[in-house]
PDB file of all heavy atoms in Angstrom:
ATOM      1  N   ALA A   4       3.548  -5.150  20.801  1.00  0.00           N
ATOM      2  CA  ALA A   4       4.451  -3.986  20.804  1.00  0.00           C
ATOM      3  C   ALA A   4       3.665  -2.691  20.621  1.00  0.00           C
ATOM      4  O   ALA A   4       3.971  -1.681  21.261  1.00  0.00           O
ATOM      5  CB  ALA A   4       5.496  -4.138  19.710  1.00  0.00           C
ATOM      6  N   GLN A   7       1.892  -1.765  23.903  1.00  0.00           N
ATOM      7  CA  GLN A   7       2.754  -1.330  25.002  1.00  0.00           C
ATOM      8  C   GLN A   7       2.767   0.196  25.145  1.00  0.00           C
ATOM      9  O   GLN A   7       2.687   0.723  26.246  1.00  0.00           O
ATOM     10  CB  GLN A   7       4.185  -1.857  24.800  1.00  0.00           C
ATOM     11  CG  GLN A   7       5.111  -1.550  25.961  1.00  0.00           C
ATOM     12  CD  GLN A   7       4.635  -2.175  27.264  1.00  0.00           C
ATOM     13  OE1 GLN A   7       4.105  -3.271  27.297  1.00  0.00           O
ATOM     14  NE2 GLN A   7       4.812  -1.452  28.364  1.00  0.00           N
ATOM     15  N   ASP A  14      -1.989   4.427  31.530  1.00  0.00           N
ATOM     16  CA  ASP A  14      -1.718   4.217  32.948  1.00  0.00           C
ATOM     17  C   ASP A  14      -0.902   5.330  33.593  1.00  0.00           C
ATOM     18  O   ASP A  14      -1.047   5.596  34.785  1.00  0.00           O
ATOM     19  CB  ASP A  14      -0.983   2.887  33.150  1.00  0.00           C
ATOM     20  CG  ASP A  14      -1.839   1.691  32.744  1.00  0.00           C
ATOM     21  OD1 ASP A  14      -3.075   1.844  32.663  1.00  0.00           O
ATOM     22  OD2 ASP A  14      -1.265   0.619  32.508  1.00  0.00           O
ATOM     23  N   ALA A  23       1.246  11.433  21.711  1.00  0.00           N
ATOM     24  CA  ALA A  23       0.309  10.548  21.023  1.00  0.00           C
ATOM     25  C   ALA A  23      -1.085  10.654  21.620  1.00  0.00           C
ATOM     26  O   ALA A  23      -1.273  11.119  22.739  1.00  0.00           O
ATOM     27  CB  ALA A  23       0.806   9.111  21.096  1.00  0.00           C
ATOM     28  N   ILE A  24      -2.063  10.199  20.837  1.00  0.00           N
ATOM     29  CA  ILE A  24      -3.458  10.176  21.256  1.00  0.00           C
ATOM     30  C   ILE A  24      -3.962   8.748  21.106  1.00  0.00           C
ATOM     31  O   ILE A  24      -3.634   8.068  20.130  1.00  0.00           O
ATOM     32  CB  ILE A  24      -4.298  11.130  20.381  1.00  0.00           C
ATOM     33  CG1 ILE A  24      -3.854  12.560  20.650  1.00  0.00           C
ATOM     34  CG2 ILE A  24      -5.781  10.958  20.629  1.00  0.00           C
ATOM     35  CD1 ILE A  24      -4.584  13.588  19.822  1.00  0.00           C
ATOM     36  N   ARG A  28     -10.062   7.836  21.066  1.00  0.00           N
ATOM     37  CA  ARG A  28     -10.458   9.243  21.218  1.00  0.00           C
ATOM     38  C   ARG A  28     -10.667   9.937  19.868  1.00  0.00           C
ATOM     39  O   ARG A  28     -11.079  11.091  19.832  1.00  0.00           O
ATOM     40  CB  ARG A  28      -9.408   9.994  22.044  1.00  0.00           C
ATOM     41  CG  ARG A  28      -9.371   9.480  23.489  1.00  0.00           C
ATOM     42  CD  ARG A  28      -8.420  10.243  24.357  1.00  0.00           C
ATOM     43  NE  ARG A  28      -8.706  11.672  24.327  1.00  0.00           N
ATOM     44  CZ  ARG A  28      -7.794  12.595  24.562  1.00  0.00           C
ATOM     45  NH1 ARG A  28      -6.565  12.260  24.838  1.00  0.00           N
ATOM     46  NH2 ARG A  28      -8.118  13.878  24.522  1.00  0.00           N
ATOM     47  N   PRO A  39     -36.080   3.464   0.471  1.00  0.00           N
ATOM     48  CA  PRO A  39     -36.357   2.720  -0.766  1.00  0.00           C
ATOM     49  C   PRO A  39     -35.659   3.287  -2.009  1.00  0.00           C
ATOM     50  O   PRO A  39     -35.267   2.521  -2.887  1.00  0.00           O
ATOM     51  CB  PRO A  39     -37.880   2.818  -0.909  1.00  0.00           C
ATOM     52  CG  PRO A  39     -38.377   3.052   0.473  1.00  0.00           C
ATOM     53  CD  PRO A  39     -37.298   3.840   1.169  1.00  0.00           C
ATOM     54  N   GLN A  40     -35.490   4.596  -2.097  1.00  0.00           N
ATOM     55  CA  GLN A  40     -34.852   5.165  -3.284  1.00  0.00           C
ATOM     56  C   GLN A  40     -33.366   4.815  -3.372  1.00  0.00           C
ATOM     57  O   GLN A  40     -32.735   5.063  -4.392  1.00  0.00           O
ATOM     58  CB  GLN A  40     -35.056   6.688  -3.355  1.00  0.00           C
ATOM     59  CG  GLN A  40     -34.417   7.474  -2.250  1.00  0.00           C
ATOM     60  CD  GLN A  40     -35.344   7.722  -1.070  1.00  0.00           C
ATOM     61  OE1 GLN A  40     -36.246   6.939  -0.799  1.00  0.00           O
ATOM     62  NE2 GLN A  40     -35.125   8.822  -0.358  1.00  0.00           N
ATOM     63  N   ASN A  43     -30.945  -1.186  -4.921  1.00  0.00           N
ATOM     64  CA  ASN A  43     -30.459  -1.640  -6.216  1.00  0.00           C
ATOM     65  C   ASN A  43     -31.462  -2.628  -6.814  1.00  0.00           C
ATOM     66  O   ASN A  43     -32.544  -2.829  -6.256  1.00  0.00           O
ATOM     67  CB  ASN A  43     -29.052  -2.244  -6.090  1.00  0.00           C
ATOM     68  CG  ASN A  43     -29.018  -3.435  -5.139  1.00  0.00           C
ATOM     69  OD1 ASN A  43     -30.034  -4.046  -4.815  1.00  0.00           O
ATOM     70  ND2 ASN A  43     -27.815  -3.774  -4.687  1.00  0.00           N
ATOM     71  N   GLY A  46     -32.865  -5.258  -4.574  1.00  0.00           N
ATOM     72  CA  GLY A  46     -33.698  -4.834  -3.452  1.00  0.00           C
ATOM     73  C   GLY A  46     -32.926  -4.456  -2.203  1.00  0.00           C
ATOM     74  O   GLY A  46     -33.521  -4.174  -1.166  1.00  0.00           O
ATOM     75  N   HIS A  47     -31.606  -4.463  -2.274  1.00  0.00           N
ATOM     76  CA  HIS A  47     -30.765  -4.064  -1.144  1.00  0.00           C
ATOM     77  C   HIS A  47     -30.265  -2.640  -1.371  1.00  0.00           C
ATOM     78  O   HIS A  47     -30.411  -2.096  -2.461  1.00  0.00           O
ATOM     79  CB  HIS A  47     -29.570  -5.006  -0.999  1.00  0.00           C
ATOM     80  CG  HIS A  47     -29.959  -6.441  -0.865  1.00  0.00           C
ATOM     81  ND1 HIS A  47     -30.696  -6.923   0.193  1.00  0.00           N
ATOM     82  CD2 HIS A  47     -29.721  -7.507  -1.675  1.00  0.00           C
ATOM     83  CE1 HIS A  47     -30.891  -8.219   0.036  1.00  0.00           C
ATOM     84  NE2 HIS A  47     -30.314  -8.599  -1.096  1.00  0.00           N
ATOM     85  N   GLY A  70      -7.497  19.158  11.566  1.00  0.00           N
ATOM     86  CA  GLY A  70      -7.679  20.583  11.798  1.00  0.00           C
ATOM     87  C   GLY A  70      -7.822  21.425  10.551  1.00  0.00           C
ATOM     88  O   GLY A  70      -7.918  22.643  10.627  1.00  0.00           O
ATOM     89  N   PRO A  73      -9.400  17.924   4.685  1.00  0.00           N
ATOM     90  CA  PRO A  73      -8.542  16.896   4.096  1.00  0.00           C
ATOM     91  C   PRO A  73      -8.853  16.682   2.621  1.00  0.00           C
ATOM     92  O   PRO A  73      -9.897  17.084   2.121  1.00  0.00           O
ATOM     93  CB  PRO A  73      -8.907  15.643   4.904  1.00  0.00           C
ATOM     94  CG  PRO A  73     -10.329  15.865   5.284  1.00  0.00           C
ATOM     95  CD  PRO A  73     -10.481  17.355   5.482  1.00  0.00           C
ATOM     96  N   VAL A  87     -27.269  -4.846   2.925  1.00  0.00           N
ATOM     97  CA  VAL A  87     -28.019  -3.954   3.812  1.00  0.00           C
ATOM     98  C   VAL A  87     -29.420  -3.820   3.228  1.00  0.00           C
ATOM     99  O   VAL A  87     -29.588  -3.479   2.064  1.00  0.00           O
ATOM    100  CB  VAL A  87     -27.338  -2.568   3.907  1.00  0.00           C
ATOM    101  CG1 VAL A  87     -28.171  -1.623   4.757  1.00  0.00           C
ATOM    102  CG2 VAL A  87     -25.933  -2.710   4.473  1.00  0.00           C
ATOM    103  N   LYS A 128     -30.577  -3.646  15.119  1.00  0.00           N
ATOM    104  CA  LYS A 128     -31.959  -4.072  15.354  1.00  0.00           C
ATOM    105  C   LYS A 128     -32.217  -3.909  16.846  1.00  0.00           C
ATOM    106  O   LYS A 128     -32.082  -4.868  17.615  1.00  0.00           O
ATOM    107  CB  LYS A 128     -32.170  -5.517  14.912  1.00  0.00           C
ATOM    108  CG  LYS A 128     -32.062  -5.708  13.413  1.00  0.00           C
ATOM    109  CD  LYS A 128     -32.359  -7.133  13.019  1.00  0.00           C
ATOM    110  CE  LYS A 128     -32.232  -7.291  11.519  1.00  0.00           C
ATOM    111  NZ  LYS A 128     -32.398  -8.686  11.112  1.00  0.00           N
ATOM    112  N   PHE A 144      -6.522  10.063   3.713  1.00  0.00           N
ATOM    113  CA  PHE A 144      -6.674  11.482   3.405  1.00  0.00           C
ATOM    114  C   PHE A 144      -5.336  12.181   3.564  1.00  0.00           C
ATOM    115  O   PHE A 144      -4.576  11.878   4.478  1.00  0.00           O
ATOM    116  CB  PHE A 144      -7.682  12.146   4.355  1.00  0.00           C
ATOM    117  CG  PHE A 144      -9.077  11.654   4.170  1.00  0.00           C
ATOM    118  CD1 PHE A 144      -9.550  10.566   4.885  1.00  0.00           C
ATOM    119  CD2 PHE A 144      -9.939  12.287   3.284  1.00  0.00           C
ATOM    120  CE1 PHE A 144     -10.848  10.113   4.720  1.00  0.00           C
ATOM    121  CE2 PHE A 144     -11.236  11.837   3.108  1.00  0.00           C
ATOM    122  CZ  PHE A 144     -11.696  10.743   3.828  1.00  0.00           C
ATOM    123  N   PRO A 155       0.628  11.321  16.459  1.00  0.00           N
ATOM    124  CA  PRO A 155       0.442   9.891  16.210  1.00  0.00           C
ATOM    125  C   PRO A 155      -0.688   9.334  17.071  1.00  0.00           C
ATOM    126  O   PRO A 155      -0.999   9.892  18.132  1.00  0.00           O
ATOM    127  CB  PRO A 155       1.789   9.275  16.601  1.00  0.00           C
ATOM    128  CG  PRO A 155       2.458  10.280  17.459  1.00  0.00           C
ATOM    129  CD  PRO A 155       1.892  11.620  17.120  1.00  0.00           C
ATOM    130  N   ALA A 170      -3.051  -0.853   7.994  1.00  0.00           N
ATOM    131  CA  ALA A 170      -2.922   0.413   7.259  1.00  0.00           C
ATOM    132  C   ALA A 170      -1.628   0.377   6.447  1.00  0.00           C
ATOM    133  O   ALA A 170      -0.598  -0.114   6.917  1.00  0.00           O
ATOM    134  CB  ALA A 170      -2.919   1.587   8.229  1.00  0.00           C
ATOM    135  N   SER A 177       8.465   6.719   7.373  1.00  0.00           N
ATOM    136  CA  SER A 177       7.956   7.920   8.028  1.00  0.00           C
ATOM    137  C   SER A 177       7.903   7.745   9.531  1.00  0.00           C
ATOM    138  O   SER A 177       7.950   6.638  10.045  1.00  0.00           O
ATOM    139  CB  SER A 177       6.564   8.275   7.502  1.00  0.00           C
ATOM    140  OG  SER A 177       5.632   7.311   7.942  1.00  0.00           O
TER     141      SER A 177
END
Side-chain angles (χ1 to χ4, degrees):
Q7 185 61 37
D14 296 341
I24 294 179
R28 294 184 55 206
Q40 64 268 28
N43 60 18
H47 304 297
V87 176
K128 293 183 180 175
F144 293 90
S177 69

